[in-house]
């Protein structure tokens, strides 16, 4: 009776651990860099702060516009405010007046 002698190989013992390492590395990478990962959380928080500052600036402009519109309502019409807005819109002034143009405030 003939028998064959096989040499024991250790490569079979490394297949499952190496697949597990690759599996964990793949999901670990996407847990940090993925769309809903840890890094995305910090980017979203930074974006939230940026948008909150823009919202505060828009709210301040709205309050200023509401105050200026309130000055033009019937019964509380300020003639100086109306005159200023008319001259600014039409770009007119009297010949004996000195006009000082101030730059518009930037927000």
């Amino acid at each position: 009776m003939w028998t064959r002698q096989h040499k024991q190989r250790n490569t079979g013992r490394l297949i499952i651990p190496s697949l597990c390492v690759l599996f964990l590395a793949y999901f670990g990478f996407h847990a940090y860099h993925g769309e809903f990962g840890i890094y995305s959380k910090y980017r979203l928080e930074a974006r939230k702060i940026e948008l909150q500052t823009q919202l505060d600036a828009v709210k301040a402009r709205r309050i200023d516009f509401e105050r200026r519109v309130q000055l033009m309502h019937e019964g509380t019409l300020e003639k100086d405010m109306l005159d200023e807005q008319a001259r600014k819109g039409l770009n007119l002034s009297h010949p004996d007046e000195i006009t000082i143009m101030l730059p518009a405030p930037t927000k």
Side-chain angles (χ1 to χ4, degrees):
M1 173 163 102
W2 295 89
T3 61
R4 289 189 177 182
Q5 298 293 326
H6 293 285
K7 186 176 182 181
Q8 293 289 335
R9 295 184 184 161
N10 291 333
T11 57
R13 294 181 187 173
L14 296 177
I15 292 175
I16 291 181
S18 61
L19 288 176
C20 288
V21 167
L22 289 174
F23 182 78
L24 290 174
Y26 175 80
F27 283 106
F29 176 80
H30 287 287
Y32 186 75
H33 291 289
E35 184 178 354
F36 300 105
I38 296 168
Y39 182 65
S40 295
K41 176 184 173 186
Y42 296 124
R43 285 189 310 183
L44 287 175
E45 287 177 358
R47 179 80 171 135
K48 175 185 166 188
I49 291 169
E50 177 185 330
L51 291 175
Q52 187 65 41
T53 57
Q54 287 180 0
L55 177 65
D56 294 339
V58 168
K59 282 183 179 180
R61 284 185 64 205
R62 179 180 176 198
I63 289 170
D64 183 47
F65 286 143
E66 285 178 354
R67 181 187 58 79
R68 294 182 78 176
V69 167
Q70 188 67 28
L71 292 174
M72 291 186 183
H73 277 319
E74 233 176 282
T76 62
L77 187 64
E78 299 249 349
K79 292 186 181 183
D80 290 337
M81 182 71 173
L82 181 63
D83 186 48
E84 174 192 343
Q85 293 298 321
R87 288 174 190 268
K88 185 186 256 186
L90 298 173
N91 199 17
L92 295 175
S93 63
H94 292 292
D96 60 346
E97 288 182 338
I98 297 174
T99 305
I100 300 173
M101 300 300 283
L102 297 175
T106 58
K107 303 245 177 181

